[in-house]
Amino acid sequence: MHMNAADDSTEHDSDQSTRDRLLDAAIDIAGETGVQAVTYRAVAARVGMAHGLVRHHFGTREQLLIEAFRRAAEQDSDDVGLKADSIDEFASNLVSTLNNSRKRQLLQYDETTQAVRGNLPIENVRGLYRRYAAQVRHTLDNAGVPDPDGSVSELVFSVLDGLVLQHMVFSDDDRTSQLLEQLREVLRRMATN
């Protein structure tokens, strides 16, 4: 049987859609009960597929968790607005993203602690943290905030990371918004423009 390029593209899109559904199921399960509950069978049951399909797409449970973590982290950083054109726009969607993605946040903290304990590769977490800091640095560059060695971007991301955790603890939109505005004010004062 000969498949043309259009058929091949459709098959790839379908494969990616299946992978995304499996990753989203893993994110949901981990966010609800923790990464220890993410198994081939649990993920497959969540999307109504055979558990062998999960193994086919990811090979190992560890790879499934790594990719779910990456997907959750990338969705959040894109949704939050770490990479912005101005300080006023910086992290402008933080509170709404946190309120709408609690499971993604829990997965990320759970996987981070698992990586720190040596149960998952720490480099995956470090790579995503570097991605976050690079997005922050882009914003700082646009805003004229000096950051010659990247340490300001790292510090700002560390503050945001703490705000995310505290938002999960306090569940107080006004508090998180106020703290975020204080961070923006510090950055405005640092700007040379």
Side-chain angles (χ1 to χ4, degrees), residues 19 23 58 62-72:
R19 285 179 67 79
L23 291 171
F58 300 101
E62 180 178 289
Q63 189 61 36
L64 170 64
L65 289 171
I66 288 169
E67 290 187 39
F69 177 81
R70 184 176 301 125
R71 179 173 172 83

Side-chain angles (χ1 to χ4, degrees), residues 22-90:
L22 294 169
L23 291 171
D24 289 342
I27 291 167
D28 284 348
I29 292 165
E32 290 165 5
T33 56
V35 294
Q36 75 283 356
V38 177
T39 64
Y40 292 142
R41 289 188 191 283
V43 170
R46 180 69 58 110
V47 296
M49 297 179 183
H51 71 275
L53 188 60
V54 181
R55 182 182 301 271
H56 166 75
H57 279 283
F58 300 101
T60 66
R61 178 179 173 273
E62 180 178 289
Q63 189 61 36
L64 170 64
L65 289 171
I66 288 169
E67 290 187 39
F69 177 81
R70 184 176 301 125
R71 179 173 172 83
E74 289 175 357
Q75 287 173 332
D76 283 345
S77 69
D78 292 345
D79 291 352
V80 164
L82 295 181
K83 188 176 181 181
D85 293 327
S86 70
I87 291 172
D88 290 338
E89 295 171 7
F90 176 62

Side-chain angles (χ1 to χ4, degrees), residues 76 94-105:
D76 283 345
L94 178 70
V95 172
S96 61
T97 299
L98 296 178
N99 290 336
N100 295 322
S101 68
R102 186 170 175 83
K103 290 178 185 176
R104 291 191 319 227
Q105 304 307 314

Side-chain angles (χ1 to χ4, degrees), residues 148-172:
D149 65 357
S151 61
V152 176
S153 301
E154 296 280 347
L155 175 63
V156 170
F157 171 68
S158 296
V159 170
L160 288 175
D161 201 25
L163 276 178
V164 170
L165 183 59
Q166 287 193 18
H167 187 78
M168 291 175 59
V169 171
F170 289 98
S171 297
D172 184 339

